Amino acid sequence: MLSGVDATTRLTDLIGRPVTAADGRRCGRVTDVAVDHATRFPRVVALAFRRRRRLTVVPWRCVERVAPDQVVLGRAEPTSIAGGVYLARDLLDAQVVDIAGRRLARVGDIVLDQRGTELRAVAVDVGLAPVVRRLGLRRVAARLPSEMIAWDALHCATGRGHELQLASPAAAVHGLQPEQLAEVISRLHPDRGAEILAAVPAARARRVPRRRRRRRYSMMRARRRAPS
């Protein structure tokens, strides 16, 4: 996590928070935030909020204050960040690879560190606690463990998050050695593994042990041939 932060919040606590204008006028409720995926700990760059059926997205620079009970806008202006990584839409409940632990997990919540009005995604919680908390059982969740994976040690294995992490040189998967790449690929769907191999430098991809690369393919072929 980042040092010197003012506070830490969870994405699921931010979603649903009222959004108000500086004059106190109600603008809606937070539905999502977008991040700059090209950095090690991505910075929040846009805020999405909804009032009735109208969805509005504004650059994060329009946010004047982030309080525990509301988000205050200093001004509102349109944004063109519709194609970015939206944490709730693209990562919440998505499957990720814990690169350090070489395991698959599912994102239950996302931890955001706050410094002034700046928010950065620093970790995901893949434990049971966030799942129970989102069901409204906060007292039960408080007794359950959280399992954190630092943002710079995860790779999204599905959806748009996977595509954009492959395109980002800051993504953890680009720093893996051939043996580590083979271990991660062996845990993914063959299509996702092939996309990773295509995204890393060709010299490193050629050094990935073929026996490890093929293990997942062999398992899936065997399952398809097995009688039902």
Side-chain angles (χ1 to χ4, degrees):
M1 301 237 177
L2 302 177
S3 59
V5 296
D6 297 336
T8 300
T9 189
R10 290 174 175 269
L11 176 66
T12 55
D13 290 332
L14 183 62
I15 292 174
R17 196 172 295 182
V19 178
T20 60
D23 59 6
R25 177 174 47 88
R26 178 66 64 86
C27 300
R29 291 186 177 274
V30 176
T31 58
D32 213 338
V33 292
V35 297
D36 173 14
H37 59 87
T39 55
R40 182 183 175 196
F41 294 105
R43 178 173 52 90
V44 172
V45 294
L47 171 71
F49 57 91
R50 185 183 297 276
R51 185 172 187 181
R52 297 186 179 93
R53 295 185 178 181
R54 182 183 178 186
L55 178 66
T56 303
V57 181
V58 298
W60 191 256
R61 63 177 176 270
C62 297
V63 174
E64 185 176 274
R65 182 163 55 93
V66 181
D69 60 340
Q70 64 179 337
V71 175
V72 180
L73 298 179
R75 61 187 185 280
E77 59 187 69
T79 183
S80 59
I81 314 178
V85 176
Y86 282 81
L87 295 184
R89 183 193 69 186
D90 299 329
L91 286 176
L92 202 60
D93 296 321
Q95 193 174 62
V96 295
V97 181
D98 175 3
I99 288 175
R102 311 288 187 269
R103 59 169 177 155
L104 283 176
R106 195 167 292 278
V107 177
D109 211 339
I110 299 170
V111 180
L112 303 165
D113 275 356
Q114 179 180 350
R115 184 178 297 165
T117 57
E118 181 181 274
L119 291 179
R120 286 184 181 269
V122 294
V124 299
D125 191 341
V126 298
L128 182 59
V131 177
V132 175
R133 187 184 305 110
R134 288 165 60 188
L135 292 173
L137 305 174
R138 290 183 172 269
R139 291 186 179 181
V140 176
R143 299 194 295 268
L144 297 173
S146 293
E147 295 182 50
M148 299 294 180
I149 303 176
W151 191 275
D152 59 351
L154 66 86
H155 179 79
C156 188
T158 55
R160 182 164 178 78
H162 169 76
E163 298 172 8
L164 291 174
Q165 279 198 300
L166 288 182
S168 169
V173 71
H174 292 298
L176 297 180
Q177 296 303 309
E179 281 286 352
Q180 296 172 316
L181 270 175
E183 186 68 29
V184 168
I185 289 170
S186 71
R187 284 163 166 71
L188 296 178
H189 185 280
D191 291 344
R192 302 291 83 78
E195 289 166 359
I196 289 178
L197 284 176
V200 300
R204 191 186 307 166
R206 285 195 296 268
R207 290 162 54 199
V208 174
R210 291 185 178 276
R211 67 185 185 282
R212 302 287 295 282
R213 195 189 305 182
R214 290 173 176 166
R215 184 175 70 183
R216 173 85 179 200
Y217 290 79
S218 299
M219 288 174 60
M220 294 190 71
R221 283 198 300 268
R223 288 175 181 172
R224 285 197 293 266
R225 288 197 301 266
S228 57

